Amino acid sequence: MGTEEIETENLNQQLLDLAYDLGMATDFQGALEILLDRLCALLPADGASIMWLEGDHLEVMAQRGPTAPLRGLTLPIGQVGAARSVLDGGRAIVVADTVRDARWQQIPGEEQVRSWLAAPLAVEETNLGLLEWTARESARFSQEDATTASRVAHYAAPALHRSQLLDDARRRLRDRMEPELATAHQTVDLRTELEPIVAEALEFTGALHAFLFLHDKDINRLRCVVASGSKRDQIGALALRGDGTLGGWSVPLGGIYNWPTAGLSDREMMGSIGLERTLILPLRAAGSPVGLLGVAEPRKGRAFGRDAIRLMTHLSSQASMVIERLQRHVTAPDSHDYKTVFHSSPLGVGLIAVSGELKLGNLALAALLSRSDRTLVGRNLTEFLVPSDGRRILRALEEVVITEQRRQVDVRLQSTSGEYRHVRVSLSLAEASEEPGGDTLVAIMEDITSLKILERERVDHLRQLREKHAQLEELDQLKSRFVSNVSHELRTPLAVIKLYATLTRKGRPEKQMHYLQTIEQETHRLETMVENILDLTRMDRQSLRVSPELLEAEEIIAQVLQVYEETAQKRAIELRNHVRGELPPLWADKNHLIQMLTNLVDNALKYTPRGGQVWVAAREIDVDSHQMLEIAVGDTGVGIEEDEQSKVFERFYRGSNNTSSSTGTGLGLAIVQELMLHHGGKVTLNSRTGEGSVFTLQFPLYDGGSPLAGAQEEDD
Ligand code: ADP
């Protein structure tokens, strides 16, 4: 797996995590926060934001980074950078340089944004809003980032939509329970919510007066709701003409009145109280004009500038939203409307007692529990659940009543088929009661079976990823050990060869033979080492060729021992062949057998001090009624520490019994083990420190046929 693949895997994992975590959010605000946290981590941005579409406005729901002051503003779509292109085109867009891009219209607060990336949030072709990333320098985002952005939006949109539905369902139920309360607070709410907007208009435009008028249908006049500045009371007493032209000013719908650039009318009334320069914007609710927001100055002079107009545009849309929201509250739907809305919610919504008894449920809830909504009332929720989950839900109901905190529980519905459907139940307190057990809770239920599948996939995916990482890490360690060992080991014979080559040229003539012999010997060592490395690489790539034939093992053992006779003599080690008579024919690769025996005998001589013994023995044995040929190479050498005995077969592992002068790569035994596996056999070790070691090769014996056919592999 290459780095690119790892990156893709990581991204996949992060997206799955994101979808999962968003799925766990209990409300819209919570979901926004989770998402915002991830946005900056996923792409190389300085900031990010989530914008939500409200009619033809985008509301900045959550924001971080250079444009953070924009949070909470509503912006007409046309004004928000290249937002319109993103929403219209339905795909992610990169603005590499805001200074040079024609689509870019900067709004106040965005001055630091030099490059921008946004992706639309949509569910079933319906635009919900957009995600944007910002950076202080140009060309920060690539086309690849745009693809990532689209994927993030793809995962985030349904989850945000879902959390909004949750909020919605809760609000609807609460609305139903407290309609009177809502009306009672209405007038107070309106003024308290609009006051800060008017105060901001005053503060940020630097004008001396700011005011907000609303249309009073009964008298067809615009009445002042909030005014600030020194002429507050006089403005407050004004009633402007309510003839559809906004107090007599001819302000077109969606337009702006900016005196002295506009015509005369009610401005004389303003003039009469000493206000001259005036900037007025319309307020709209549900598409029709409902009032105006304005700032004014007593002095004559230039009209208000562009910045003031922009700011007032934002403030007027904010005020419009407040008014629209509160109006919706007042005109509480009649009971029939309410019922339609209640039942049309895609989420299961119900009222439930602490005992679990259902008091009310909508159609979606009935469908979820496979009942009609009428037969639902009076039943206990626990009847529908797997028993242990029923007990959990009862505990959760009690906890919500005691703590007055929202709780979320995942439960399984009873099933006869064995395949459970998973349901997420969000519980919140609807109405506390004096009498014990009388409290009512709102339960919102949704089928999260697919989310559970996602969760399972995510865990699986995470596990696979971890395994891959572990494998890679291990490989990496092996590789670095390999490189350091190999370079060290190759350097030694190379240095010797170099030295003796020089001596051949310049040294004493009578020693020529000795020099050349040494060169030959070291070249041979190098060759073996390179061969060993290549062998292991081939084994790893499964491209080792095994060419088995019927062998007389005793012959090959004798051959190998003969090669080592001279070395043994020089080191005063007795080399013994204990093989007597004929052994059963062995079906094996001749070169491989020689290689294994050579490795073992070589080691035995290497790790046995002067005066010791090295021997080879062989016999036929019966293991679980399978005939095997055992070849053992033993020595009376230094032996191997017990805790190292399994490690010596690992690649590049060199035991603690090595002295600084003993040569080797730690590959010999690894090769023996691999080759034995290729022959369907195994190698075992028996050793005691200070006494010696015995390595035993066990080959399976076959009568007829070609048992290694399966193990035979293609050469590369
Ligand atoms: P090396 O090139 O180091 O000999 P091997 O893979 O052949 O690599 O062996 C791994 C380690 O096993 C050696 O470094 C040594 O510590 C230990 N070993 C192998 N054979 C013997 C033996 N006959 N006696 C003692 N130790 C041995």
Side-chain angles (χ1 to χ4, degrees), residues 41 62 82 268 270 297 311 339 356 371 374 376 389 394 434 447 496 510 538 544 692 702 716:
E268 283 102 353
M270 287 285 184
E297 292 265 85
L311 183 95
K339 216 168 155 188
R371 288 284 184 293
R374 243 172 272 120
L376 210 57
D389 289 353
L394 288 179
E434 292 293 299
D447 191 328
V496 177
E510 68 272 20
R538 263 183 229 126
L544 181 81
Y702 303 95
D716 48 340

Side-chain angles (χ1 to χ4, degrees), residues 354 388 390-400 407 427:
V354 205
S388 60
R391 289 192 289 277
R392 281 177 46 227
I393 210 98
L394 288 179
R395 264 203 306 279
L397 285 165
E398 279 171 13
E399 274 172 35
V400 172
R407 275 271 274 134
L427 296 168

Side-chain angles (χ1 to χ4, degrees), residues 168-188:
D168 225 43
R170 257 184 229 118
R171 189 169 40 73
R172 277 181 202 158
L173 262 187
R174 214 169 298 126
D175 285 358
R176 181 192 148 134
M177 298 186 60
E178 307 172 356
E180 305 82 20
L181 220 61
T183 340
H185 288 314
Q186 190 261 330
T187 13
V188 187

Side-chain angles (χ1 to χ4, degrees), residues 17 30 43 196 251 391 427 469 551 587:
D17 283 350
L43 287 171
V251 182
R391 289 192 289 277
L427 296 168
H469 270 289
L551 301 174
W587 181 257

Side-chain angles (χ1 to χ4, degrees), residues 603 606-607 635 640 648 653-655 657-658 664-666 668-669 693:
N603 277 348
K606 199 158 67 174
Y607 298 103
D635 62 60
I640 301 168
V648 292
Y653 187 85
R654 306 204 61 217
N657 54 12
N658 280 291
T665 52
L669 289 179
S693 316

